Amino acid sequence: RKGSDLDPETKTQLDRERNKKHAKATRLRKKVYVKCLEEQATELAEQNNRMKQEREWREANRRAVLETRRRVVHTMLHYRHAGVTDRNKWAKIVDEGRFTLALPVTPYRSFKRSEVVGNGLRILHGLDMVFADIRSIAVWMQTISREATSVGQSVGHTVGQQASEVVWDYTILDAVASGDGNGGGDGGDGGNGG
């Protein structure tokens, strides 16, 4: 029947039923929508927790790697300073087949010309080259000890020419680079301590 043929009471009753069905359908849609939002929120919260745990794990791993590297570098520098050439000790901290050490070219040290690459660097591949460098340090330190006959006596050297000149002073107790020969450090006085 058409709406105009109905009496007002029936029309009101039909409107109420239609509104009831519409309200029920809206409540069901809202309930489904809210449930969907809750599921998404739960999923996003779980994903956020997983990502947070992964970040924390990565950060803890990064810190552990940095600490391991710091300890290895500290141990390596200690071994180098102390003159340790025991291959077994070095093998505990470096992979001999992949180990490479880059050092600045120092004119007061002995080394093979083949170790020098561009930019004033020496590249040492493997432990045999590192051990040779350690022996070179020992020879240099012995030379310093022989030249300085008393504690605190200054021994000076100048190596190089003009712009590339390196000047350093040292005593039996220490060895300190002190200038580039062009007004830096001790003023390029030839390393005579004054």
Side-chain angles (χ1 to χ4, degrees):
R1 288 188 183 179
K2 292 188 178 181
S4 59
D5 295 343
L6 300 175
D7 64 81
E9 192 177 308
T10 307
K11 188 174 180 183
T12 304
Q13 181 67 25
L14 287 174
D15 285 345
R16 276 192 204 128
E17 286 179 20
R18 190 174 351 108
N19 286 344
K20 226 183 201 183
K21 287 180 184 178
H22 180 69
K24 186 175 181 180
T26 301
R27 283 192 303 274
L28 287 174
R29 279 195 308 271
K30 182 179 177 184
K31 192 175 182 181
V32 168
Y33 178 70
V34 168
K35 186 175 180 178
C36 182
L37 287 178
E38 287 173 347
E39 288 173 357
Q40 285 179 348
T42 302
E43 184 180 327
L44 289 173
E46 290 172 358
Q47 183 180 2
N48 191 29
N49 285 337
R50 283 191 305 270
M51 290 171 66
K52 183 179 177 184
Q53 288 173 345
E54 188 176 320
R55 269 193 315 272
E56 288 171 355
W57 177 84
R58 276 196 213 132
E59 179 59 22
N61 191 44
R62 185 188 70 79
R63 277 188 257 117
V65 166
L66 288 176
E67 177 59 22
T68 300
R69 287 179 181 168
R70 187 196 64 76
R71 280 186 279 124
V72 165
V73 169
H74 184 267
T75 302
M76 185 194 81
L77 292 174
H78 171 73
Y79 284 176
R80 194 165 174 257
H81 168 75
V84 175
T85 55
D86 181 346
R87 193 171 295 274
N88 292 328
K89 286 185 177 183
W90 279 86
K92 290 179 183 176
I93 61 167
V94 297
D95 179 357
E96 182 173 358
R98 296 174 46 202
F99 182 66
T100 300
L101 179 62
L103 299 170
V105 171
T106 49
Y108 48 87
R109 299 269 311 284
S110 64
F111 52 85
K112 294 178 182 177
R113 187 173 294 275
S114 63
E115 295 174 3
V116 179
V117 296
N119 301 328
L121 285 178
R122 291 175 51 216
I123 304 296
L124 309 180
H125 299 285
L127 292 181
D128 289 332
M129 291 180 87
V130 172
F131 293 163
D133 183 66
I134 289 171
R135 288 189 292 274
S136 170
I137 292 171
V139 168
W140 179 57
M141 294 305 290
Q142 287 171 359
T143 302
I144 292 171
S145 297
R146 275 185 261 147
E147 289 184 18
T149 56
S150 64
V151 173
Q153 175 188 354
S154 179
V155 178
H157 289 280
T158 302
V159 177
Q161 301 171 347
Q162 297 161 0
S164 63
E165 186 172 68
V166 174
V167 180
W168 73 92
D169 290 325
Y170 49 84
T171 67
I172 287 177
L173 301 176
D174 64 3
V176 180
S178 59
D180 62 2
N182 292 315
D186 65 0
D189 66 357
N192 294 322

